Amino acid sequence: MRHLYANRAAYLLAGLLVVATALFAWLRSEGGTLIAVDEDRVQDIEGEAWDEAAWGPLGEAVYAAECQACHATLTHIPELFAAQDGRSYLIDLMLNGYDGEMVIEGSASSVEHPRFADLDDAELAAVLNHLLVSWGNDEALPDEPDFYAPPDIEEARDRDLDPEEVAASRPSP
Amino acid sequence: MNRTIVGAFWLVVYLIVILSPLFIMMIRPAPAERSFWVEFSVGLGFVGLVQTAVQFALIARYKTITAPYGIDLILKYHRQIATIAIALLIAHPVILVIHNPALLSLLNPVGGSMASRAGNWALYTFILLALLSHFRQRIRLDYEVWRVTHAGLAILAILLSHVHIRLSAYYTATPWKHGVLIGISVVMIASLGYLRLIKPAFMRRRPYRVVNVAADRGDTWRLTVEARGHDGMRFKPGQFAWLKLGPSPYSVEEHPFSFSSSAQDPERLEFGIKELGDFTGAIGSLPAGTTAYLDGPHGAFSPDLEPAAGYVFYAGGVGITPFISMLRTLADRGDKRPILLFYGDKSWEETAFTDTLAGLVERLDLTIVYVLENPPEAWDDEEGFIDADVLERRLPDEGIERLHLICGPAPMLAAVEAALQERAVPLRLIRFERFDLV
Ligand SMILES: Cc1cc2nc3c(=O)[nH]c(=O)nc-3n(C[C@H](O)[C@H](O)[C@H](O)COP(=O)(O)OP(=O)(O)OC[C@H]3O[C@@H](n4cnc5c(N)ncnc54)[C@H](O)[C@@H]3O)c2cc1C
């Protein structure tokens, strides 16, 4: 009888592994994660204009969670931001991803960037502003820069671009 | 502690470990989502890998882990779940390619990126590992050679998998997550170090000495060993130990044998060993005084673990050994419970331990039914195999519930089980011991 139970247990555990993996895949494909960003903090800054003290921690947290794994620093942001349509290009890239050629340090390579449309408007605005002011980037910004605000993101969501279209719209330096 | 509680505890720990990669990958920072099938495929890869790494802990003979279930079940589970894990690992690239046929080139072991190449090699190593284990006997691969190859290939495949994960760097781009995944593999593989280095170091302090090797019938030897400078091995009748012979407890050659002596005497242990191959064939010429080491006791096949009003034992050939130990132990304890023994073998000349059994009949409420394939002339016991007819004739009709313990070759186990079911003996009263563990 022990052997019979053991056989059943083996099948049961195998089934459990597959079901758990399918559940994981479903949650993940919906963009789910187990530890969510602090909702209160998002709410607090929703209405406020850019202010490093209020926005900084949220931008930093989102950066650490979503970007840092691939980007240790992003020092070419001011250049992109200052280019024609560069400001909205950065929003489009975050919302829709990127798929196409990109010139990195002089040579062209094919690049795919994931989309982060599942983040809140405030989270996206905060992380974009974080990019503008970190690693000395603020030195390279124009005077009185037009920092991102949640409504900018909300508006850009309607554009609904393909990653290829985003790549095509990249401002050339 | 209660066996059930310990068993449940280890089951929970096991589930946590094998599902941990899925939880970890869900924790932020997590990379951007991809389609269901891509995530499913990647999930199977992680789960499959952790599951293969856990195999090292399953086979390490940690007594606290194996005792609640019986090590035979653990080893059997090892075979089943490892096969399943490899199937999951195969599904990982296959799903990716079905989902996006453009990725077919990823299956090329010499093409693609370094990441996909490492993944391919890992997978092919796992498949080779499974095939060698499956066909070991058919291709006549020496048991010891297989064993070393098996461990080596497993470590290599896990290593290649980690290279693949490292180079793919998607979920594991977060250092602590990558660390946990590597940590699981390292801790699990360290179990092999426990089994092959630490355990033998303890065994070295508890040596035994061969004091007697006596020939019995049916190519069976009775090997007696005595504890040297320690109090021996406390076991439950029906349990077994891995036996190593020679001066070094670190040798890879070790074989499992059931104790045949009484559990009341832990310092002087006897095994009944049937000649089958190299190791067992050399027992007869073993000089007295040879050093022996034992890894045990293992196993959960024992009346001590499952008290009953009476027992029915079914032995096929050398499968008699655990029952000899049980009977000797019960006799030494003056046990009065009724015991019926069915003992099947080829012929009377090949039936071992008959003299011992004759003596035990005097000391116990024991009835023995010999079932011989080729009985001598004027034989008044059973002829043929232990089957439904024999049980019909010889199993008593009585009010008590006896536990039925069966040990013998695989076909005999199946036949007796079928016969018992025909007689409506409930499964909860039936127990097996298999000698063909691997
Ligand atoms: C729980 C248990 C209890 C056992 N009790 C007894 C007993 O009381 N008396 C007895 O005679 N036999 C017993 N055996 C069987 C015994 O272990 C094998 O017959 C022996 O290991 C064969 O070794 P060999 O080198 O002589 O033969 P080989 O020709 O090398 O092997 C024959 C077959 O035995 C199996 N085998 C070989 N080496 C091992 C090993 N190290 N571990 C496990 N299986 C192996 C393999 O399936 C192999 O194909 C028991 C086995 C198990 C699992």
Side-chain angles (χ1 to χ4, degrees), chain A residues 1-4 7 10 13-14 16-17 20-22 24-26 28-29 31 33-35 37 64-66 69 114-115, chain B residues 15 26-34 36 40 43-44 47 51 69-70 72-73 76-77 80 84 171 173 427-428 430:
Chain A
M1 182 164 86
R2 282 167 61 242
H3 287 267
L4 200 73
N7 283 341
L13 280 160
L16 177 81
L17 285 180
T21 309
F24 156 83
W26 174 67
R28 281 295 299 142
S29 61
T33 46
L34 278 177
I35 298 176
V37 165
E66 306 287 352
R115 54 200 289 271
Chain B
L15 287 175
M26 294 282 300
I27 294 176
R28 283 198 184 196
E33 75 269 21
R34 295 171 293 184
F36 173 83
F40 186 57
L44 290 181
V47 164
Q51 187 62 258
Y69 311 100
D72 52 335
L73 288 196
K76 179 171 161 180
Y77 178 71
Q80 294 172 326
I84 290 166
Y171 277 106
L427 276 176
R428 71 186 162 80
I430 305 175

Side-chain angles (χ1 to χ4, degrees), chain A residues 69-142:
Chain A
C70 299
H71 303 290
T73 62
L74 280 167
T75 49
H76 60 290
I77 292 292
E79 196 188 340
L80 277 171
F81 182 74
Q84 173 104 40
D85 294 328
R87 185 177 182 276
S88 59
Y89 159 76
L90 288 172
I91 303 181
D92 290 339
L93 171 73
M94 292 302 285
L95 285 176
N96 305 296
Y98 185 105
D99 188 359
E101 296 273 303
M102 194 183 274
V103 180
I104 299 171
E105 289 171 3
S107 58
S109 44
S110 134
V111 169
E112 271 185 64
H113 192 279
R115 54 200 289 271
F116 291 92
D118 61 313
L119 295 180
D120 290 332
D121 294 346
E123 288 176 299
L124 281 168
V127 77
L128 283 168
N129 290 333
H130 176 77
L131 304 184
L132 293 179
V133 300
S134 303
W135 316 291
N137 284 356
D138 44 345
E139 307 287 316
L141 286 182

Side-chain angles (χ1 to χ4, degrees), chain B residues 418-437:
Chain B
L420 285 175
Q421 287 195 340
E422 225 172 284
R423 303 246 331 155
V425 173
L427 276 176
R428 71 186 162 80
L429 296 178
I430 305 175
R431 301 287 181 277
F432 296 110
E433 178 81 324
R434 315 182 63 104
F435 279 3
D436 51 345
L437 262 190

